[in-house]
Amino acid sequence: MGEVKNWPIVCAAFVTQALTHGFAGSMGVFYVEWKKTFGEDLPGDGSSTIGWLTSFVLGVLLTTAPISGALSHHFGVRPVVMLGGCLSTLGLFISSFADTIHLLYFTIPITGFGCGLAYAASITIITKYFHKHFALASGITSTGISIGGIILPVIIQALVEYYTWRNAIMIIAGIIAQVCGALMKPPPKLEKCGEETKVGLNLAGESNQHCDQELCGKITIPTQDGDELETVIIRNGALTKEPRKSHFRVILDSLGITLIWTNRVYACALPMFFLNGGVYGTCIVYIKERAEVVGISDYNAALLISIIGVSGLVARAGHGRLVDKKIFHPTTLYAFANFLAAVSLPIIAVSEQYAVFVICAANIGFAAGLYIAINIVLVRGIVGVRRFPGGFGLVLLVIAISIMSSVAIAGLLLDYTGDYMAGFLYASIIQGLSGVWVLVSHVVWTKCVKDPRWPPSLPSLCHSGPNKAAELPNDIVRNKAL
């Protein structure tokens, strides 16, 4: 059956991402309500303060990713997702009783932390179960973000109108409690093209079975005295002992921090990932209020956030086949998406036509669906499967910093200028720089200073591995190409 038997994992991850990242992207609906409730007590009209609070769930969600990666590595995905669901529910439930903005600044990060644990873990498990069809599985899973972004804004707006924002948050807390962590069973210890492979070992660490194809993973065996354990990497049927690491180094590895000085391609790509967080965060926070300023109704303004989700759904669902079949290069799609988002956001700041709002929202959603999904593909190619949880967690951290800073700066510019153009233009500029960065990086690592860790395409693990240079131990990689 191959990887077909693993598709229930995709369904579980799909629902989890819809209820975590999808909800985080729908927080802009609460922006207007919180501004009405708490705006009079804040400096100016509270645009920057409440805008930053609205982005807190998404920002903390992404910031939590390195922690989620480390916990998933040591305890497994299932308990991490279930813990995330409980924390998210708790944070929202307490938020429903908030009578000051200061309490929300305490409870909303709890919700973001829980959503982040569940979201990042749901991505990690896909990398463990899917190899040949990774881009397709990842694309389908990430459509959950778009589905959540389509449905939840409309649901939240309706709940706010009928039950007030406090009761709406309480109901949403019950919905988010349904994350599907129980379905995310641990993957096999060893995988060979997606199927479990048993290899016999004696105490000396010698294999009694040889394999012609690459096995993905590592195992721990007892030493000859039986008192200690040592890690053995299995590659091409051969056993290689991994040097013992200090506890501090193990923590740094789990968080992905060591990749900064052991993988130059990854280190140079981090600024690119940082720059692509500008437009999406700014748009989902301010587009509803901007639409209402020009006379668009509350319902139609909230519908714009759903439109972002719909177009993102199309992009996420379609990119997997395009990448797997090598129809388009991942870096080409990535650059195109960044430029499309950068052009669309400033138009919203100057337009007063609802049709233009719809088109620009669709463009931004489609662009975000592409570059967010391709982030996963690029990171997996650069760092490999074994280092993916920590590596991608660190990427999400820098994206979170970008989103929260962009939202805060846009809000400050709005407070001081009274116009959306300055903040939207700032977000668009840094988004466009991300597109330039990926094109320059592709030229550098494929033409000028060739490095096999930059993914020229997404190869299948069943053929040649995700990126063999990325899977090698750090000392070997440093000797080959630092």
Side-chain angles (χ1 to χ4, degrees), residues 127-170:
T127 68
K128 295 180 180 297
Y129 272 99
F130 289 88
H131 307 299
K132 183 177 181 180
H133 303 291
F134 170 72
L136 177 61
S138 175
I140 293 175
T141 300
S142 64
T143 58
I145 301 173
S146 299
I147 293 295
I150 295 167
I151 298 175
L152 289 178
V154 178
I155 293 176
I156 293 172
Q157 185 65 41
L159 291 175
V160 167
E161 291 178 358
Y162 284 101
Y163 301 108
T164 75
W165 68 264
R166 298 180 190 277
N167 293 327
I169 285 183
M170 189 177 295

Side-chain angles (χ1 to χ4, degrees), residues 178-197:
Q178 311 306 313
V179 294
C180 299
L183 298 178
M184 297 184 184
K185 63 180 181 178
K189 294 292 183 180
L190 278 176
E191 295 184 356
K192 174 183 176 181
C193 297
E195 298 179 357
E196 183 175 356
T197 303

